[in-house]
Amino acid sequence: MGKITGFLEHRRQPAPRRPVAERLKDYRELELLVTPGELRDQAARCMDCGVPFCNTGCPLGNLIPDFNDHTYQGDPARALEALHTTNNFPEITGRVCPAPCEAACVLGINDDPVHIKLIERHLADHGFSQGLVTPRAIEIGTDKHVAVIGSGPAGLAAAQQLRRAGHQVTVLERDERLGGLLTFGIPDFKLEKQVIEQRLAQLAAEGVRFEVGVNVGVDVSGEALLERFDAVCLCGGARVPRDLPISGRELAGVHFAMDYLTQQNRRVAGLPFGEEPISAEGRHVVVLGGGDTGSDCVGTALRQGALSVTSLEIMPRPPDEPGSATPWPLWPYKLRTSSSHEEGGERDFAVTTQGLIGADGRLTHLVCQRTELRAGRPTPVAGTEFELRADLLLLALGFTGPEPGGLLEQLGVQLDARGNVQTDAELMTSQPGVFAAGDMQRGQSLVVWAIADGRRAARGIDRYLMGTSALPTPGRAGVLR
């Protein structure tokens, strides 16, 4: 695939980024496009390896050597067709996915891996700009009606697949705009919202119906939902944030990261964002948690004009290079520096927060303590206490699962030991005809896994309704199962 000697002739080249001083002044995407020649050179590095582990590294089973080869051969239409075979939204994964496929690239054993994510994004963007991404005609329709609850990546993937199977599909979203956390959680500097809107236009043209501002479980009962639809797919996400039960938690200036990010996304979009504004302007900001959400908080706080931004992680600093514990093709455990971290702020590792100090009811300092690993667990070290100035604390500690009660209780679906919706191999819940996909049944995870789960659930629903299904399900190289 690609050029046989391409990996010897071309080095991995990342997409250029706007200068930090420039991009901190706005919320536009920071990565710039590469030229067709540069993209062709990157695709040429795909080395015709005997076993393309990249296929199995990708939760969607993307046909990576295929679209690399088509790109190198100068055939973006065929490349995009191969990409869309397994991935409904490559323009999104090409922006926000951490690219486990690249970690599994054979070239990555002793060199920089093929820049699969770059190629994926540019193929999708080129496809939209050149009119290559068009609605698919639905040739055979059924009389089955399916409700998809939630319009995040899992819900949208399930909806598109089900509609392409011929079913009547309605997506119910409680917010006033579609996209879930793609729209309200991921900052615009990583994912501008017109990227989502252009794909939504394709789904609408294919016949997917959307109802926004509908809080299912409140505005529509679970019983009414089952009466109206032949099947239901729950894609509400894992929206309950993990809290920090320490002294001083009640102080003003302590917020969940997703509340902060959602509010800023609403500001950018010109939408109402609630009565209590959360802003980092002129504040000393501390972010607890070093994942993608924490990184997004850093980039947002810097753009808002924070006086200082410090990220704290309870685990020790990862090594610069992966060790023997995560050999290829496993996802490597190593230090990862995001574009937000490159823009400024400080990072500190092996730190736990023991309490919060305030004055006049408002946060002023964190009481911290160093940690060390004991039996694999971070443990506070006596005598290492210190205080850290902060008047805005953002909790980016992950999520504990879907919102309890409400719709889940009305439908009577069972939960697993972790509080997620329990499903079988077809992603059907304990309630016949009710399926679940994405974070709601998996727990907090990646966008690419949500898309894969949405596709799996669509196939399960199609089989439930029709007795058989021609829809593919993601797996090894996207094969049918």
Side-chain angles (χ1 to χ4, degrees):
M1 296 298 177
K3 186 178 182 181
I4 297 300
T5 58
F7 69 98
L8 299 173
E9 300 173 19
H10 305 290
R11 304 302 306 166
R12 176 184 168 108
Q13 294 293 336
R17 291 174 172 173
R18 294 193 292 138
V20 171
E22 173 188 318
R23 68 197 200 214
L24 285 180
K25 297 177 182 178
D26 59 49
Y27 290 87
R28 290 173 29 238
E29 286 188 1
L30 53 94
E31 283 198 354
L32 304 174
L33 296 176
V34 301
T35 67
E38 291 170 331
L39 192 67
R40 184 173 182 269
D41 289 344
Q42 292 305 300
R45 298 184 71 239
C46 194
M47 59 185 294
D48 197 15
C49 55
V51 179
F53 281 81
C54 56
N55 289 158
T56 58
C58 174
L60 287 163
N62 279 344
L63 306 176
I64 296 165
D66 301 68
F67 65 69
N68 282 340
D69 185 48
H70 295 320
T71 301
Y72 169 68
Q73 299 295 342
D75 194 344
R78 288 191 68 191
L80 192 62
E81 182 182 3
L83 184 53
H84 275 137
T85 298
T86 55
N87 188 351
N88 297 72
F89 315 125
E91 69 282 359
I92 295 174
T93 54
R95 285 171 164 82
V96 303
C97 183
C101 54
E102 294 186 9
C105 174
V106 172
L107 184 56
I109 296 175
N110 61 354
D111 199 350
D112 293 328
V114 176
H115 207 336
I116 302 166
K117 180 176 176 178
L118 175 91
I119 298 167
E120 186 173 311
R121 178 211 163 169
H122 281 70
L123 282 176
D125 286 356
H126 174 82
F128 276 105
S129 66
Q130 298 301 310
L132 300 176
V133 181
T134 57
R136 182 180 298 181
I138 311 302
E139 298 178 356
I140 301 176
T142 75
D143 61 352
K144 304 299 184 182
H145 293 257
V146 183
V148 176
I149 313 304
S151 64
L156 294 179
Q160 186 166 55
Q161 293 298 100
L162 285 164
R163 181 64 192 129
R164 289 176 174 179
H167 305 305
Q168 306 301 315
V169 182
T170 302
V171 177
L172 303 169
E173 169 58 54
R174 69 179 178 184
D175 287 317
E176 70 270 46
R177 289 195 180 178
L178 300 165
L181 291 186
L182 295 175
T183 296
F184 291 108
I186 299 177
D188 287 63
F189 56 79
K190 286 176 60 177
L191 178 64
E192 290 191 34
K193 304 319 170 193
Q194 63 262 28
V195 174
I196 305 169
E197 291 166 2
Q198 64 188 1
R199 185 62 75 171
L200 288 170
Q202 183 201 34
L203 268 70
E206 291 180 352
V208 176
R209 302 188 184 104
F210 297 105
E211 296 183 12
V212 298
V214 180
N215 189 351
V216 182
V218 177
D219 302 325
V220 178
S221 70
E223 181 181 4
L225 196 69
L226 295 178
E227 290 178 354
R228 177 181 171 188
F229 296 97
D230 299 296
V232 174
C233 189
L234 304 175
C235 302
R239 301 290 292 268
V240 180
R242 181 172 284 107
D243 209 341
L244 185 67
I246 58 174
S247 62
R249 172 63 180 87
E250 74 285 352
L251 292 169
V254 183
H255 300 276
F256 290 118
M258 198 51 64
D259 293 340
Y260 172 67
L261 294 174
T262 296
Q263 189 174 109
Q264 181 54 41
N265 278 13
R266 286 181 166 275
R267 281 196 190 95
V268 173
L271 298 173
F273 53 81
E275 298 179 357
E276 181 185 4
I278 310 171
S279 175
E281 183 178 3
R283 299 190 181 280
H284 296 280
V285 181
V286 174
V287 180
L288 295 188
D292 289 339
T293 302
S295 168
D296 293 345
C297 289
V298 170
T300 301
L302 291 170
R303 284 163 175 76
Q304 289 181 341
L307 294 177
S308 67
V309 182
T310 304
S311 297
L312 300 182
E313 299 185 43
I314 195 170
M315 297 295 289
R317 183 185 187 277
D320 292 326
E321 298 297 330
S324 58
T326 54
W328 177 89
L330 299 178
W331 179 250
Y333 175 67
K334 66 176 184 178
L335 181 67
R336 301 180 188 279
T337 301
S338 72
S339 60
S340 294
H341 294 138
E342 294 171 353
E343 293 168 352
E346 302 292 332
R347 302 173 74 181
D348 202 353
F349 299 86
V351 176
T352 184
T353 304
Q354 301 285 38
L356 306 177
I357 300 175
D360 299 322
R362 180 161 194 92
L363 175 71
T364 60
H365 292 81
L366 275 66
V367 179
C368 302
Q369 194 171 11
R370 297 288 172 185
T371 65
E372 64 181 13
L373 288 183
R374 297 177 186 171
R377 297 177 63 86
T379 306
V381 178
T384 62
E385 297 82 1
F386 66 97
E387 292 185 3
L388 182 63
R389 185 177 180 182
D391 41 24
L392 177 59
L393 176 63
L394 301 173
L395 305 180
L397 304 174
F399 300 85
T400 61
E403 297 173 6
L407 177 62
L408 300 184
E409 188 174 285
Q410 293 170 20
L411 292 175
V413 298
Q414 293 182 2
L415 306 181
D416 62 20
R418 296 191 302 155
N420 301 317
V421 176
Q422 184 172 297
T423 60
D424 61 16
E426 298 278 286
L427 295 190
M428 187 161 69
T429 70
S430 57
Q431 174 70 248
V434 178
F435 294 71
D439 290 1
M440 181 166 269
Q441 59 88 27
R442 176 180 291 277
Q444 180 191 4
S445 190
L446 305 175
V447 167
V448 67
W449 272 113
I451 297 172
D453 288 343
R455 290 171 65 90
R456 284 179 59 205
R459 187 165 189 261
I461 293 170
D462 192 31
R463 284 167 58 91
Y464 170 79
L465 295 174
M466 308 302 293
T468 186
S469 178
L471 289 175
T473 188
R476 302 305 185 207
V479 296
L480 287 173
R481 288 182 177 174

